Amino acid sequence: MRLSGHLQNTNIPVNERSPMILPKHHSFTTLGIIKAHHRTLHGGTQATLAYVRRQFGIVGRRSAVKSVIHKCIPYFRHTCRPQTQIMGNLPLERCKASSPFMHTGVDYAGRGFRAYKGYVALFICWATRAIHLEHVSDMTTETFLAASKRFV
């Protein structure tokens, strides 16, 4: 048996125009889903469903595809959930109210060309997240101390 739809007058192949109707729990259905899963390079449920839908009209296809995919070991190795990062506590200075720029952090940003390199020292307020930018010509200790002195 085959499905018939609105695509009877198109130039697509007969298997896509009128896919075969297959039962959910049949060995041929399982083999077709396994082939589609391998053709989609161990793709997920949506990718495998899209590939299967072009050839077969499976009754209850989503649950049939899921049951086959959940038995695939390479799929689960590559789609395992990443470990969650355990967040540390914020420093005390970051949590309590203080005047702006009483507690700061510093970072460097820069862009280098062949003729001239320029850097920016970013002073970041921990309480208000405001920033102060200072131009720095290079990344030596002397230029950082000069930028810090200008900041203060």
Side-chain angles (χ1 to χ4, degrees), residues 9-101:
N9 295 327
T10 59
N11 292 333
I12 59 177
V14 176
N15 288 340
E16 290 184 33
R17 194 177 342 150
S18 300
M20 292 187 297
I21 299 174
L22 297 175
K24 181 179 178 180
H25 301 293
H26 194 271
S27 59
F28 185 72
T29 306
T30 305
L31 289 174
I33 294 171
I34 289 171
K35 178 185 173 191
H37 183 62
H38 287 277
R39 287 282 173 108
T40 58
L41 302 174
H42 297 281
T45 308
Q46 288 297 106
T48 307
L49 266 174
Y51 194 86
V52 165
R53 226 179 258 136
R54 292 191 313 183
Q55 296 173 345
F56 308 116
I58 301 171
V59 179
R61 62 183 162 248
R62 181 173 293 278
S63 62
V65 167
K66 279 186 178 181
S67 67
V68 170
I69 287 177
H70 285 304
K71 295 175 187 171
C72 178
I73 293 171
Y75 171 74
F76 271 100
R77 281 189 184 153
H78 294 295
T79 58
C80 63
R81 293 189 180 186
Q83 295 290 328
T84 57
Q85 181 88 18
I86 299 173
M87 299 296 288
N89 293 328
L90 289 173
L92 181 65
E93 295 83 15
R94 190 89 187 254
C95 298
K96 68 179 186 177
S98 64
S99 4
F101 291 104

Side-chain angles (χ1 to χ4, degrees), residues 20 44 51 91 108 116 122 129 137:
M20 292 187 297
Y51 194 86
Y108 267 82
Y116 179 74
L122 286 100
R129 293 186 180 175
S137 59

Side-chain angles (χ1 to χ4, degrees), residues 118-137:
Y119 300 97
V120 174
L122 286 100
F123 292 93
I124 304 151
C125 174
W126 284 9
T128 63
R129 293 186 180 175
I131 62 169
H132 175 80
L133 304 174
E134 283 288 336
H135 173 72
V136 181
S137 59

